[in-house]
């Protein structure tokens, strides 16, 4: 009897340890489901050593990659978000009913960083002023933070971050407005013109909706009609789509994707539109790469976040360069030191 009981306990122990590992190996839940890196697997030979730490690390590595952890986190956040109506983690905080905000935007513009921010802004203004006075063939583009546009939804837990955030946001926005549109394009202006009656950002994502993105691209085109001479094709209709969101699905592991209206455009622009133009961008323009390719077919697109930056000789081959960054990273990218081929800055020392 005792032998049978021991065998049963061993079988249960084996299942607890093995099933998550087997599930991971066969891809039931891949690592990209998690916004933070899982515990790395220790060296195999370390598991045979007397010290217990490698075996503990091995157990954590399996658990981090298992459906058990994903399901547990998903259930906890679903209860907080959907049933209690409020949630806050290291990365995400809830606002108005259903609205989620990325905490990094508040951390970047916090009161504690005000002295550093004032210094970064002054340095950025100097660089932008020199570029504008020299008639440089560069247009700097700022894609607004979600909080800057959807401020009426910054309630609940997110409300306590608002005073410090909007204190610097007003200063930042006034600074950009002093530059002519052909030198600095602030997409907050285009999104503000849409009005709050239209949803400009996804509720569970850091990024703008396709309708808002279209307004932003139209603003860029109007700011540089000599660079982009053809008008944008009109929105012919809209289709119902679902979006896998970064805040909701990736960071909080919520199961429900967000519905939205996806625009369908009229006849495409001339195949020559955008020739000689390089558009360097982050995830905001990356999200709408298909639109940019349709509107400016001859332009070259390069990501700030993926792959090494283009070198000086390559950059010299373009007639005009558009450099786009989200607000929360705009000043940092103009201030951080150029460190080499993997740097994503575009300050004075960069190519």
């Amino acid at each position: 009897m005792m032998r049978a009981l021991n065998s049963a306990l061993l079988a249960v122990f084996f299942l607890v340890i093995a099933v998550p590992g087997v599930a991971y190996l066969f891809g039931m839940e891949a690592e990209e489901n998690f916004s933070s890196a899982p515990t790395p697997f220790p060296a195999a030979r370390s598991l045979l050593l007397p010290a217990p730490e490698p075996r503990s690390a091995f157990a954590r590595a399996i658990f981090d990659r298992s459906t058990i952890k994903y399901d547990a986190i998903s259930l906890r956040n679903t209860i907080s978000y959907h049933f209690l109506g409020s949630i806050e983690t290291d990365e995400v905080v809830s606002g108005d009913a259903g609205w989620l905000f990325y905490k990094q935007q508040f951390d970047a513009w916090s009161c504690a960083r005000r002295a550093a921010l004032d210094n970064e802004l002054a340095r950025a203004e100097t660089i932008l002023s020199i570029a504008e006075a020299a008639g440089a063939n560069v247009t700097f583009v700022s894609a607004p933070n979600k909080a800057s546009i959807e401020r009426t939804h910054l309630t609940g837990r997110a409300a306590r971050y608002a005073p410090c955030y909007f204190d610097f946001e007003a200063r930042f926005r006034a600074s950009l407005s002093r530059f002519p549109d052909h030198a600095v394009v602030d997409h907050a202006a285009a999104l503000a013109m849409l009005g709050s009656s239209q949803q400009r950002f996804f509720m569970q994502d850091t990024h703008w909706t396709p309708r808002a993105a279209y307004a932003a691209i139209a603003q860029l085109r109007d700011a540089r009609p000599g660079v982009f001479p053809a008008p944008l094709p009109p929105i012919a209709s809209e289709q119902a789509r679902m979006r896998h969101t970064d805040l909701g699905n990736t960071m909080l592991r919520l199961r429900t994707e967000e519905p939205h209206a996806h625009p369908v455009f009229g006849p495409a622009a001339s195949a020559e539109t955008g020739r000689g133009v390089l558009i360097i961008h982050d995830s905001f323009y990356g999200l709408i790469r298909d639109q940019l390719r349709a509107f400016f077919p001859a332009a070259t697109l390069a990501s700030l976040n993926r792959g090494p930056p283009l070198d000086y000789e390559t950059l010299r081959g373009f007639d005009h360069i558009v450099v786009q960054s989200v607000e929360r990273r705009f000043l940092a990218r103009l201030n951080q030191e150029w460190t080499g081929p993997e740097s994503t800055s575009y300050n004075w020392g960069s190519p």
Side-chain angles (χ1 to χ4, degrees), residues 154-173:
L154 205 64
T155 61
R157 285 179 177 262
R160 69 178 185 275
Y161 297 102
C164 285
Y165 177 86
F166 289 122
D167 179 54
F168 185 74
E169 188 264 349
R171 178 159 161 65
F172 176 81
R173 186 119 294 113

Side-chain angles (χ1 to χ4, degrees), residues 18-292:
V19 169
V22 172
Y24 169 72
L25 291 175
F26 284 90
M28 290 176 63
E29 290 290 352
E31 182 177 321
E32 55 264 25
N33 285 323
F34 303 91
S35 56
S36 58
T39 303
F41 282 103
R45 60 184 178 182
S46 69
L47 299 176
L48 303 177
L49 298 176
E53 288 77 15
R55 288 183 289 279
S56 296
F58 181 71
R60 287 196 303 272
I62 292 178
F63 180 70
D64 284 350
R65 292 165 172 82
S66 71
T67 58
I68 297 173
K69 179 177 181 180
Y70 186 95
D71 291 340
I73 295 174
S74 177
L75 177 60
R76 181 195 65 193
N77 291 339
T78 296
I79 292 173
S80 294
Y81 176 69
H82 287 295
F83 296 100
L84 302 181
S86 179
I87 192 169
E88 183 167 4
T89 69
D90 291 341
E91 298 175 302
V92 184
V93 62
S94 59
D96 198 9
W99 285 83
L100 299 174
F101 291 89
Y102 190 31
K103 289 178 71 173
Q104 190 181 98
Q105 64 194 316
F106 305 121
D107 296 337
W109 286 2
S110 67
C111 286
R113 295 198 68 245
R114 186 55 189 267
L117 287 169
D118 287 342
N119 182 58
E120 289 177 4
L121 185 57
R123 290 168 60 89
E125 287 173 342
T126 300
I127 294 174
L128 296 174
S129 296
I130 293 173
E132 192 273 325
N137 62 332
V138 179
T139 300
F140 293 93
V141 177
S142 173
N145 296 326
K146 183 176 182 177
S148 296
I149 302 301
E150 303 293 356
R151 61 181 64 205
T152 59
H153 298 293
L154 205 64
T155 61
R157 285 179 177 262
R160 69 178 185 275
Y161 297 102
C164 285
Y165 177 86
F166 289 122
D167 179 54
F168 185 74
E169 188 264 349
R171 178 159 161 65
F172 176 81
R173 186 119 294 113
S175 175
L176 296 192
S177 68
R178 291 199 290 267
F179 295 94
D181 290 344
H182 65 264
V184 180
V185 174
D186 180 8
H187 281 325
L191 271 59
M193 290 182 65
L194 286 178
S196 58
S197 60
Q198 295 194 50
Q199 186 178 333
R200 295 160 293 185
F201 276 75
F202 289 102
M203 296 174 69
Q204 299 180 22
D205 201 282
T206 55
H207 298 95
W208 48 28
T209 61
R211 172 71 74 167
Y214 179 83
I217 298 175
Q219 180 192 21
L220 173 63
R221 185 266 161 196
D222 293 342
R224 283 288 188 174
V227 176
F228 305 111
L232 298 189
I235 298 177
S237 61
E238 291 183 326
Q239 298 175 342
R241 296 277 184 89
M242 300 296 291
R243 171 162 174 77
H244 184 92
T245 59
D246 55 8
L247 299 177
N249 299 132
T250 302
M251 296 184 188
L252 296 183
R253 290 72 152 165
L254 302 178
R255 302 288 189 178
T256 306
E257 296 183 338
E258 184 169 344
H260 68 280
H262 190 80
V264 178
F265 302 100
S270 165
E272 295 298 307
T273 301
R275 184 168 300 282
V277 179
L278 170 66
I279 301 176
I280 305 174
H281 63 86
D282 63 14
S283 62
F284 271 73
Y285 273 13
L287 182 66
I288 54 171
R289 285 175 69 94
D290 290 344
Q291 287 189 35
L292 291 169

Side-chain angles (χ1 to χ4, degrees), residues 303-312 315 336-346 349-351:
S303 174
L304 274 169
N305 302 323
R306 297 181 181 178
L310 300 177
D311 58 41
Y312 178 68
L315 292 171
Q336 61 188 201
E337 182 181 353
W338 178 260
T339 56
E342 298 302 320
S343 176
T344 58
S345 70
Y346 44 79
S350 72

